Amino acid sequence: MYLDIREQSSHLILEEYKKFEDFFPMELDIFSFKNPTDTLLSASGKVLCFKLFDKYNLDANLIRFSSSKRLHVLYKGGCNLYLSISHSKNITIVALSDNPIGIDLQYTAVIHEDSINMIYSHQVANAILINENWNRHFHQQWTRTEALYKVSGKYITDILLTNFNNIELDNDCFLFKDCFIENDYIFTMAVKSSNDKIFLETVISKFTF
């Protein structure tokens, strides 16, 4: 589920957040940001969590968040569910799964070739730049890297991989799904599973108040 803060009242987003702020650990305080846009994006991410709970009839009173900034784990009864939140420019997105999940969203702004060479090794950068639409390919590569970073707990320097699809790290299997929304945004979900045949059913919905 995703939300575009440009289409919503800032006051309404913050009012909605205040209804749920006691559910979140102090480490996830949205008012620690200096930039008001970052505050709104963070607040809207928290609000979207509860909108997802409503969508799937989850009782918010049975939910507890972890203080992890990479992966938010919640509990309903004895069942584990997993959340991941990301935002870029004006959009916040939240993923909910019964498998450990990481999500990363990026606005596909044009990036200079020199920046790609600074981020990646010569081999990886060349693999990106040989693509006709290399700018979009770079953002796809980067969202996969960030999503895997969130769900695996590995350092980004350990997972700057070349054009990866489904991979294994320390005997864990990670599957990826890329999607484009709003024309200029790409997001990738990385899901951890012991079964590399798992079917990733993706339901994308845009939220408006």
Side-chain angles (χ1 to χ4, degrees):
M1 181 178 286
Y2 70 98
L3 177 150
D4 189 332
I5 63 171
R6 295 170 299 181
E7 301 172 358
Q8 313 297 328
S9 160
S10 301
H11 176 74
L12 183 56
I13 291 173
L14 293 176
E15 284 298 309
E16 283 290 308
Y17 169 76
K18 289 177 182 178
K19 297 177 183 178
F20 309 116
E21 62 181 336
D22 291 341
F23 284 88
F24 297 97
M26 292 182 62
E27 294 90 338
L28 302 178
D29 179 20
I30 68 165
F31 297 106
S32 61
F33 295 102
K34 295 181 180 179
N35 187 327
T37 298
D38 290 335
T39 296
L40 282 178
L41 288 168
S42 181
S44 62
K46 309 299 189 298
V47 170
L48 284 180
C49 292
F50 287 90
K51 300 306 177 182
L52 269 176
F53 301 157
D54 287 343
K55 181 176 180 178
Y56 292 104
N57 298 315
L58 299 175
D59 183 355
N61 293 313
L62 298 179
I63 291 165
R64 298 293 181 269
F65 288 85
S66 75
S67 59
S68 168
K69 292 187 177 181
R70 287 186 178 180
L71 184 68
H72 304 277
V73 184
L74 55 123
Y75 307 89
K76 182 179 183 295
C79 178
N80 288 353
L81 296 174
Y82 300 88
L83 278 170
S84 188
I85 304 173
S86 184
H87 56 74
S88 181
K89 198 172 181 180
N90 297 303
I91 290 181
T92 295
I93 193 166
V94 175
L96 175 68
S97 175
D98 54 4
N99 286 81
I101 189 170
I103 192 169
D104 187 64
L105 172 75
Q106 291 290 326
Y107 175 70
T108 57
V110 176
I111 187 168
H112 198 277
E113 293 181 33
D114 289 346
S115 298
I116 297 176
N117 283 302
M118 289 176 62
I119 295 170
Y120 290 104
S121 67
H122 180 71
Q123 179 184 8
V124 176
N126 282 346
I128 293 172
L129 293 169
I130 60 172
N131 287 267
E132 181 178 354
N133 193 347
W134 57 264
N135 187 70
R136 177 163 284 202
H137 186 74
F138 163 76
H139 288 289
Q140 181 186 52
Q141 176 84 2
W142 186 252
T143 56
R144 288 187 174 197
T145 301
E146 286 275 11
L148 183 58
Y149 159 75
K150 290 179 179 180
V151 72
S152 70
K154 299 289 184 181
Y155 292 107
I156 283 187
T157 51
D158 294 333
I159 54 177
L160 291 177
L161 308 173
T162 303
N163 297 327
F164 52 88
N165 291 309
N166 301 337
I167 65 167
E168 288 189 7
L169 282 176
D170 298 336
N171 299 318
D172 290 320
C173 180
F174 296 91
L175 291 79
F176 299 90
K177 185 150 188 181
D178 309 312
C179 298
F180 292 91
I181 56 173
E182 302 290 320
N183 297 320
D184 297 321
Y185 291 83
I186 180 175
F187 71 85
T188 294
M189 293 180 294
V191 177
K192 178 181 176 181
S193 175
S194 59
N195 179 7
D196 62 5
K197 302 300 183 183
I198 185 174
F199 175 68
L200 296 183
E201 180 182 0
T202 306
V203 180
I204 305 170
S205 59
K206 184 176 183 178
F207 178 78
T208 56
F209 288 102

